[in-house]
Amino acid sequence: MSNALIVKDLCKTYVVNKRQNHVLKNVSLSIAEGEMVAIMGPSGSGKTTLLYTASGMDQMTSGSSDFFGRDISKMKPKEVSELRLSEMGFVFQQMYMLKNLSVVDNILLPAYQSKSGKSKKARRDKDERSRELMHKMGIAEIATNDITETSGGQLQRACICRSLINHPKMIFADEPTGSLNKQASSEVMAELLRVNREGTTILLVTHDARIAAKCDRVLYLIDGQISGDLKQGKYEGEQELRERERNLNNWLLDRGW
């Protein structure tokens, strides 16, 4: 199995009031194509920073991030921007959407902005894909709704649709269920699992052990360094969730969680 992402000696340093804050310290990791990997760790450990620098959303201080054979650290900003738009999908805890656009128009926005979405035929294809995605996510009925007319769970599923609109090779998700109730969280995770089973690689940050228990692997980050890598295998269903949660919680406790 080939690797989707290979991060080597990744460092990120912020300078605040002339003082250096080393958020990431020589982080190295690899994620195989088709894997679903969770990043866990205490607040301030560098989880979100790792997600952002590995994907090229934020500039790394040193090191490298190889995305399907291309080193993001050596690409020009415009090239990285196009790579993120066309081959990566992003889902955040805060569901950033334009309030003056309907749900479906928010989903279509990155499709129309991409190089592959400029022609009339391409836009018709993107329109069809948006309908297919919303149907799969169970939110077809809210396509023309305003953002304020949707529930948190529906809105996050719309964000997943938006992240998939350009057929990304990998999704980067930062606390995608963090602001949802238990039921909506379970529904959104079910959709992410389905997307992963269809072949999309996923790297997500989460504080929720129940969410992480459904991932193939869990990386534990503390003080800007990876201190553990738990291999769990593919999640097969609710019948094994309790055992996976128990194993994960014991593993987290050993790391001071």
Side-chain angles (χ1 to χ4, degrees), residues 111-157:
Y112 284 5
Q113 289 179 324
S114 68
K115 287 183 178 179
S116 63
K118 300 300 182 183
S119 69
K120 288 184 178 180
K121 181 184 182 305
R123 292 197 169 187
R124 285 196 299 270
D125 291 342
K126 299 292 186 182
D127 290 345
E128 178 61 26
R129 177 158 173 78
S130 71
R131 288 191 289 270
E132 291 174 357
L133 288 170
M134 294 190 78
H135 178 73
K136 281 185 177 181
M137 296 288 174
I139 55 171
E141 74 281 0
I142 66 163
T144 58
N145 283 22
D146 290 336
I147 300 307
T148 55
E149 298 173 330
T150 62
S151 69
Q154 288 174 324
L155 203 56
Q156 193 61 297
R157 277 180 277 171

Side-chain angles (χ1 to χ4, degrees), residues 12-235:
K12 180 62 180 180
T13 301
Y14 294 101
V15 178
V16 181
N17 296 327
K18 297 182 179 180
R19 296 184 63 180
Q20 292 187 336
N21 181 15
H22 302 289
V23 181
L24 298 176
K25 307 166 188 175
N26 297 104
V27 174
S28 296
L29 62 92
S30 62
I31 298 173
E33 190 173 353
E35 266 197 308
M36 186 171 189
V37 179
I39 303 173
M40 299 190 75
S43 297
S45 59
K47 300 184 298 297
T48 295
T49 301
L50 175 56
L51 195 79
Y52 283 18
T53 51
S55 64
M57 287 188 68
D58 196 3
Q59 188 172 8
M60 62 191 74
T61 302
S62 63
S64 64
S65 181
D66 183 292
F67 181 80
F68 286 90
R70 284 165 291 179
D71 188 349
I72 292 174
S73 65
K74 296 180 180 179
M75 298 172 70
K76 297 178 181 178
K78 188 174 181 181
E79 293 174 329
V80 176
S81 179
E82 179 57 34
L83 179 68
R84 290 200 308 268
L85 182 62
S86 60
E87 297 187 32
M88 298 178 183
F90 294 90
V91 183
F92 305 100
Q93 179 176 354
Q94 299 300 322
M95 293 158 258
Y96 301 107
M97 285 197 168
L98 298 177
K99 293 182 179 179
N100 61 322
L101 296 179
S102 67
V103 173
V104 69
D105 286 341
N106 268 284
I107 291 170
L108 282 166
L109 187 60
Y112 284 5
Q113 289 179 324
S114 68
K115 287 183 178 179
S116 63
K118 300 300 182 183
S119 69
K120 288 184 178 180
K121 181 184 182 305
R123 292 197 169 187
R124 285 196 299 270
D125 291 342
K126 299 292 186 182
D127 290 345
E128 178 61 26
R129 177 158 173 78
S130 71
R131 288 191 289 270
E132 291 174 357
L133 288 170
M134 294 190 78
H135 178 73
K136 281 185 177 181
M137 296 288 174
I139 55 171
E141 74 281 0
I142 66 163
T144 58
N145 283 22
D146 290 336
I147 300 307
T148 55
E149 298 173 330
T150 62
S151 69
Q154 288 174 324
L155 203 56
Q156 193 61 297
R157 277 180 277 171
C159 288
I160 296 172
C161 290
R162 181 178 60 187
S163 75
L164 292 168
I165 193 69
N166 286 330
H167 300 276
K169 294 180 177 179
M170 185 168 178
I171 288 178
F172 296 85
D174 186 14
E175 295 282 3
T177 64
S179 60
L180 303 177
N181 61 35
K182 186 176 180 179
Q183 180 179 344
S185 174
S186 180
E187 291 171 354
V188 166
M189 188 58 185
E191 297 302 339
L192 287 173
L193 283 165
R194 183 177 58 76
V195 167
N196 175 248
R197 297 302 183 267
E198 292 175 353
T200 305
T201 308
I202 297 178
L203 178 63
L204 66 89
V205 167
T206 183
H207 279 99
D208 191 337
R210 188 176 176 85
I211 296 299
K214 297 177 181 180
C215 295
D216 305 345
R217 288 165 58 208
V218 180
L219 303 175
Y220 192 77
L221 193 70
I222 186 166
D223 295 331
Q225 296 178 308
I226 293 175
S227 67
D229 183 344
L230 177 65
K231 296 174 177 62
Q232 303 185 113
K234 287 293 181 185
Y235 174 64

